[in-house]
Amino acid sequence: MKARAEFLAARKGRRLNGPLFFIEALDRRDDGAPRYGLTITKKVGNAVVRNRIRRRLREAVRLGAGADMQPGHDYVVVARRELIGVPFETLAAELSQRIQRGRTKRDPQRPDGRTQQGRSGT
C-alpha cells in the first residue's frame, strides 16, 4: 500500500494491539492479494532508526507473516519504539501471532460478508 487514502481506510477495520506494534486490518470484500503498509512516526526515532525498523518489519512479513495474511485484506503495521531492541525472531513471531489472531471467516449468510458476532442465551 502506498496511497494515504488506503492507509486511512484501514483505520476503519479491526485494531490488533501488541507490545511492539499494533495492526489495523480491513477486509476489502474482494479476493485480491493481501496488501500491507508500514507506519513509523518521528516519535519512534530519527531517520536511521525508522528505516531500520522498516527493514526489519518488511523482512518479517517476507519470511512468514505474509503467508498468514488473508486474501482481500489490507494490513497497516504501526511500529512502537520498543521494536528496535527486540530480537528478530521475537519480532517475526509476534507479527505472525498478531495477524493470525485477527483472522476472520466471512459468513455467506450475511450480505456484508462479516461474521455473526453477538450474544446468545437468555
Side-chain angles (χ1 to χ4, degrees):
M1 296 176 19
K2 295 195 187 243
R4 177 170 166 75
E6 294 170 339
F7 280 80
L8 293 176
R11 298 193 93 189
K12 296 175 183 161
R14 295 185 65 192
R15 184 171 170 152
L16 310 165
N17 288 314
L20 306 175
F21 49 80
F22 65 88
I23 298 174
E24 295 166 334
L26 176 70
D27 186 354
R28 294 189 317 261
R29 308 272 185 253
D30 64 22
D31 292 327
R35 301 183 304 183
Y36 76 95
L38 305 174
T39 300
I40 300 98
T41 65
K42 287 186 177 182
K43 292 180 195 176
V44 172
N46 63 18
V48 173
V49 171
R50 293 192 313 268
N51 285 328
R52 184 170 183 195
I53 289 172
R54 194 172 293 118
R55 286 191 309 269
R56 294 181 86 205
L57 282 170
R58 271 196 217 119
E59 188 67 5
V61 169
R62 186 183 75 81
L63 290 178
D68 297 329
M69 293 181 179
Q70 287 183 285
H73 282 70
D74 286 343
Y75 298 90
V76 175
V77 180
V78 182
R80 294 193 171 121
R81 182 179 210 66
E82 295 77 20
L83 191 136
I84 194 68
V86 174
F88 182 76
E89 293 76 21
T90 304
L91 166 64
E94 180 70 24
L95 186 59
S96 284
Q97 177 187 15
R98 197 71 43 210
I99 290 172
Q100 287 174 2
R101 186 171 295 164
R103 290 182 71 88
T104 59
K105 293 181 182 176
R106 292 184 185 164
D107 187 352
Q109 301 299 322
R110 293 187 56 161
D112 59 4
R114 294 185 305 169
T115 58
Q116 180 70 32
Q117 297 196 6
R119 292 187 179 190
S120 60
T122 58

